[in-house]
Amino acid sequence: MDDEQMYSEQPPSEAEDSSADGRAPGDDDDDEELDFLPRRASRSLSDASPTLQGLPSANGHDARGPPPPAPSVPLALSILNVEPLDEFIREVADWIAYHLKGRTDCVEVEAKIGVLKDRNTGDRIRMPTLVETILQPGTPDIIFESNMTSDQHRHFNLLLNELMVSPPPGGQTSSPIQYSHHYLLDSFYKSDAHPRDKVRVTTDEKTRQVVQCVRKVKLGDLNIYSPKRHADWRISVNLEIPEKVPTGPPIRTRRKNRMSYTHQHTQIDLTQVTQESDRTAHTELLHELEVEIIPSSLLLSYAAYRGDELVGQRERDGFDELIRVFVNNARILVRNSGSWS
């Protein structure tokens, strides 16, 4: 497969009208047919429980004996009949809420799938934990690499396409996944008013229209280590402050071949990025996957009323519900990350 083009197989017929603007992915654009891989036999995601098999004894019968009777009444959630708080999701929600405090716009909340590596050895980190763990912000000597192999990117492409044409039972009947494909050019300029920042101008390469011109400011990163999986992930909160389009030549550029899958308030971007390497003069091809909460205005609105007893429960709990779905989507992708290299 030529890495310079996004996958070369024809799209499945079930997804022909699934683009975000109502057009089939191939309408008026021959390159759109490169987006999809052939549909294969449907399968369950890796979070599904395996089928339990009997344990044969020496005489061929189930050694466990007959199953026990079902409880006469449903089991209480706990001795207090409540389910303990999910500390993981609450920690993520509290961390994001802290960075959103006082913000009114220009906020981006996203998760990237990648690998946490030792800065000194370049190897994936190994920590004495058995399950998914949030690392303390600022943990030294750890870097996050969001790049993946082309095969890994293809795997996610196939997974998301399957969900478009064969949604899970009770899943997307009222909220189908919307699809779009864009070819974008990012041009970076120095910011005169903020020397440490850069202004990014994003242009649609087909229409030549400026899609966005912003100065991106990082507010914080939260790394999540997943020892049982082939990938880790990182949550980032950033400001994207609108700027006027600069004049003159850019200091560097990069091209993005991006497929976007949108479901409710989550957007998943699969992107091939072509740019010049920071270490060599050669061009490198990167493969990235991002999960973003959209629109950010809704997240900010819910954040303002989080836990407020004077408003309705939906408004009071809306922020934590958005974060819960955001975390669930990132987890599902990490737990279906296949082999990672």
Side-chain angles (χ1 to χ4, degrees):
M1 183 188 73
D2 184 358
D3 277 351
E4 294 299 327
Q5 68 176 22
M6 195 65 83
Y7 317 122
S8 59
E9 291 81 351
Q10 287 278 5
S13 58
E14 293 92 329
E16 288 180 353
D17 59 352
S18 300
S19 65
D21 57 5
R23 297 183 302 117
D27 286 356
D28 304 320
D29 183 359
D30 292 338
D31 290 335
E32 296 294 316
E33 69 181 16
L34 307 181
D35 299 350
F36 291 86
L37 297 174
R39 182 179 175 189
R40 63 183 180 185
S42 51
R43 49 166 175 71
S44 299
L45 298 178
S46 65
D47 276 350
S49 299
T51 302
L52 295 177
Q53 302 293 331
L55 303 178
S57 63
N59 59 11
H61 297 291
D62 192 333
R64 297 173 299 174
S72 57
V73 294
L75 294 177
L77 293 173
S78 69
I79 195 170
L80 298 179
N81 200 27
V82 294
E83 190 164 11
L85 177 74
D86 186 325
E87 289 186 331
F88 185 102
I89 293 180
R90 175 55 67 88
E91 186 68 29
V92 171
D94 287 347
W95 181 84
I96 293 176
Y98 169 80
H99 287 290
L100 297 187
K101 189 175 182 179
R103 309 291 179 185
T104 57
D105 56 11
C106 311
V107 172
E108 174 193 58
V109 177
E110 65 179 5
K112 289 188 174 184
I113 311 301
V115 176
L116 289 167
K117 292 187 172 184
D118 185 299
R119 183 186 300 276
N120 300 311
T121 66
D123 298 328
R124 189 181 183 192
I125 64 171
R126 293 289 183 267
M127 302 189 73
T129 62
L130 295 177
V131 295
E132 181 183 60
T133 303
I134 302 173
L135 302 188
Q136 181 75 26
T139 301
D141 298 325
I142 290 178
I143 58 175
F144 179 78
E145 184 177 288
S146 60
N147 186 29
M148 64 181 74
T149 67
S150 58
D151 286 343
Q152 186 70 26
H153 223 231
R154 176 187 289 266
H155 168 80
F156 283 120
N157 180 219
L158 177 59
L159 173 65
L160 292 165
N161 290 341
E162 285 185 347
L163 290 176
M164 284 188 66
V165 299
S166 299
Q172 298 147 10
T173 55
S174 60
S175 301
I177 295 177
Q178 302 295 319
Y179 168 83
S180 62
H181 188 171
H182 301 281
Y183 297 88
L184 305 170
L185 175 67
D186 284 344
S187 301
F188 294 89
Y189 300 81
K190 291 183 178 179
S191 173
D192 295 331
H194 303 84
R196 298 181 61 182
D197 300 336
K198 294 182 178 62
V199 176
R200 184 188 69 200
V201 180
T202 302
T203 305
D204 188 306
E205 291 207 276
K206 292 188 175 181
T207 66
R208 302 297 180 185
Q209 297 295 311
V210 173
V211 176
Q212 187 183 53
C213 180
V214 297
R215 178 169 55 89
K216 191 166 183 174
V217 180
K218 182 177 292 296
L219 297 180
D221 292 323
L222 199 64
N223 291 323
I224 293 92
Y225 172 54
S226 302
K228 291 181 184 250
R229 312 299 172 184
H230 294 287
D232 307 304
W233 49 298
R234 163 181 279 186
I235 301 172
S236 298
V237 180
N238 307 298
L239 293 180
E240 291 190 330
I241 304 169
E243 297 278 354
K244 293 182 178 180
V245 177
T247 58
I251 56 177
R252 70 182 180 94
T253 61
R254 67 182 181 192
R255 284 182 159 79
K256 297 187 296 190
N257 181 356
R258 169 168 289 174
M259 296 184 293
S260 296
Y261 301 82
T262 304
H263 179 246
Q264 296 179 336
H265 297 298
T266 299
Q267 178 171 305
I268 301 172
D269 291 330
L270 271 176
T271 310
Q272 286 184 339
V273 181
T274 305
Q275 64 181 18
E276 287 190 1
S277 170
D278 293 333
R279 297 179 296 274
T280 68
H282 297 94
T283 298
E284 60 182 354
L285 183 66
L286 307 177
H287 299 81
E288 298 179 347
L289 189 157
E290 300 170 339
V291 183
E292 184 175 352
I293 300 175
I294 58 169
S296 62
S297 57
L298 179 66
L299 185 66
L300 287 166
S301 178
Y302 276 135
Y305 290 97
R306 186 189 187 205
D308 189 337
E309 297 296 335
L310 299 180
V311 299
Q313 184 172 353
R314 181 176 180 273
E315 292 78 11
R316 183 170 63 246
D317 299 338
F319 179 84
D320 290 74
E321 180 68 8
L322 283 176
I323 301 302
R324 183 179 69 85
V325 174
F326 170 67
V327 168
N328 286 345
N329 281 320
R331 280 173 161 170
I332 286 292
L333 291 169
V334 168
R335 295 177 188 189
N336 286 275
S337 56
S339 61
W340 193 277
S341 57

